[in-house]
Amino acid sequence: MTIEVRNIVKQYGAFKALDNVDLRVADGELLALLGPSGSGKTSLLRIIAGLDWPDAGEVSFDGENALARGAGERHVGFVFQHYALFRHMSVFENVAFGLRVQPRAVRKSEAQIRARVKELLDLVQLDWLANRYPSQLSGGQRQRIALARALAIEPRILLLDEPFGALDAKVRKELRQWLRTLHEEIHVTSIFVTHDQEEALEVANRVVVMDKGKIEQIGTPGDVYDNPATAFVHSFIGESIVLPVDVSGGQVKLGHRPLNIDAGGAVGPSKLFVRRHDMQIGPVGEGALEGTVRRVRTFGPIQRADIALSGDDTLVEIDAPRDRPLTAGDAISLQPRRYRIFAGQE
């Protein structure tokens, strides 16, 4: 099932949640809508689901006008952040619910319903919990049951709104891997909303980065991380050092200090973006920047250091491998290995 969104506008009073958004989701794709709170990602998901309506624009499924159909007619499965399981029903009955309330003309027989529920519980690897109630499950188990329930009606599209947002970090990581594997098995066109960049980059085929109701960039996880199209994408995805620079005559200056780096076509007041792990450390005199180590912390295979840049004591935070030990008080140089300069970022 392909999804096409064209010129979608959604406004809440003076706030424009979506501003002429265009998007195409390929059949069988697993797409992430990634952005901060208020970027428009949940509004877009709700419009695709039929839970909200745009002020302008079009939504089509396989070329057919989806806006002419209500939510119940779109054959969409929806998974919410907070599970929305029925507390008074067993796991089995929660998964069976959507099948039992279908119109009589299309409703399966009791034997077919029981077989379908068993198949889904096997799929999410929780068949042994069929007779338990939601209060007896862990958060990760509840979310897998919520997903099984969404899949019960055999949706053409699966939509997930911050599906792992209420879970702790370890469980989120386990479920991300599980969801990716599950999608490869069921191959249903799926869109999930997240503000967690690691989640989007690990799970999705493609990532849509949104901000202030607009799409900033669409690409594979590698594309948006390695080749950010805008300053916002660079700062939102990954952890970046951001320094105000001025570019004149092809020369890049930080304050009054010329930096031995390529301006990349930027002119005037700009900002230099460097990933923390892309700062190469060397002896004084061998890098574009110089500074003094103020503080060092160790995180597994890396060390994270606060560096006070020479001249104005601007603090930057870098990540470096532990095979090049740093100590507070060390004088060092820093040379960006990979970086971007975006013009007009005053």
Side-chain angles (χ1 to χ4, degrees):
M1 172 68 67
T2 60
I3 303 169
E4 286 199 57
V5 171
R6 291 181 290 275
N7 305 121
I8 288 292
V9 174
K10 182 64 181 179
Q11 196 145 340
Y12 300 98
F15 175 66
K16 186 168 279 190
L18 295 169
D19 188 3
N20 285 300
V21 170
D22 292 307
L23 178 64
R24 187 180 190 279
V25 186
D27 180 40
E29 186 171 20
L30 177 55
L31 183 92
L33 300 180
L34 173 66
S37 297
S39 60
K41 55 192 187 297
T42 294
S43 293
L44 180 57
L45 196 77
R46 289 177 61 84
I47 287 170
I48 293 170
L51 301 176
D52 210 342
W53 298 88
D55 298 320
E58 303 173 14
V59 179
S60 63
F61 297 166
D62 276 350
E64 296 182 0
N65 180 16
L67 297 180
R69 300 175 180 272
E73 302 172 295
R74 296 191 191 184
H75 301 290
V76 170
F78 207 107
V79 179
F80 299 91
Q81 177 178 343
H82 294 289
Y83 325 125
L85 298 177
F86 299 116
R87 290 177 293 177
H88 65 288
M89 290 184 181
S90 68
V91 163
F92 186 96
E93 290 303 328
N94 262 283
V95 178
F97 178 79
L99 297 170
R100 295 201 192 284
V101 298
Q102 286 184 316
R104 188 178 299 275
V106 296
R107 191 184 310 158
K108 298 177 184 291
S109 69
E110 181 62 22
Q112 289 173 318
I113 289 174
R114 299 191 74 81
R116 176 64 176 160
V117 173
K118 184 181 184 310
E119 175 189 347
L120 288 165
L121 290 177
D122 287 342
L123 184 67
V124 300
Q125 301 168 355
L126 292 176
D127 56 304
W128 54 285
L129 294 176
N131 296 320
R132 293 197 189 178
Y133 288 82
S135 62
Q136 298 173 299
L137 308 180
S138 69
Q141 289 168 342
R142 289 180 203 171
Q143 197 58 294
R144 283 198 271 170
I145 295 302
L147 185 52
R149 188 177 64 180
L151 293 172
I153 59 170
E154 300 179 60
R156 300 188 298 172
I157 295 168
L158 181 64
L159 305 177
L160 306 100
D161 188 7
E162 299 276 7
F164 309 137
L167 304 172
D168 64 51
K170 183 175 185 297
V171 175
R172 281 204 309 270
K173 190 164 187 66
E174 290 171 355
L175 285 187
R176 288 202 298 263
Q177 295 167 344
W178 173 80
L179 177 61
R180 180 74 201 179
T181 301
L182 180 68
H183 181 264
E184 289 170 358
E185 291 183 34
I186 61 176
H187 209 61
V188 174
T189 304
S190 305
I191 304 174
F192 73 98
V193 159
T194 183
H195 64 272
D196 184 328
Q197 53 177 285
E198 185 179 335
E199 185 170 286
L201 297 179
E202 184 176 337
V203 175
N205 302 127
R206 283 192 306 153
V207 178
V208 178
V209 186
M210 299 185 68
D211 185 44
K212 298 176 182 175
K214 291 180 175 290
I215 292 175
E216 294 273 333
Q217 186 172 355
I218 303 174
T220 66
D223 287 338
V224 296
Y225 187 87
D226 293 333
N227 302 297
T230 67
F232 172 80
V233 176
H234 205 305
S235 61
F236 189 74
I237 295 181
E239 296 177 318
S240 300
I241 298 165
V242 185
L243 296 171
V245 296
D246 192 80
V247 184
S248 178
Q251 186 177 66
V252 182
K253 287 186 176 182
L254 175 63
H256 297 293
R257 289 167 290 171
L259 305 181
N260 184 28
I261 59 176
D262 184 1
V267 177
S270 305
K271 281 192 177 174
L272 168 67
F273 287 78
V274 188
R275 305 282 187 210
R276 293 195 311 208
H277 60 270
D278 279 332
M279 277 292 198
Q280 183 172 328
I281 302 166
V284 171
E286 293 189 6
L289 299 162
E290 294 183 353
T292 303
V293 178
R294 287 286 176 83
R295 181 170 173 246
V296 181
R297 291 90 68 205
T298 299
F299 297 89
I302 68 164
Q303 54 188 334
R304 186 162 294 164
D306 295 333
I307 312 296
L309 298 182
S310 301
D312 58 6
D313 277 353
T314 297
L315 275 177
V316 298
E317 193 174 57
I318 67 166
D319 289 344
R322 293 176 65 181
D323 59 4
R324 203 299 188 186
L326 296 173
T327 305
D330 287 352
I332 61 170
S333 71
L334 298 173
Q335 180 67 36
R337 285 177 292 209
R338 290 164 56 96
Y339 60 91
R340 290 289 303 275
I341 296 177
F342 291 98
Q345 303 293 322
E346 295 189 70

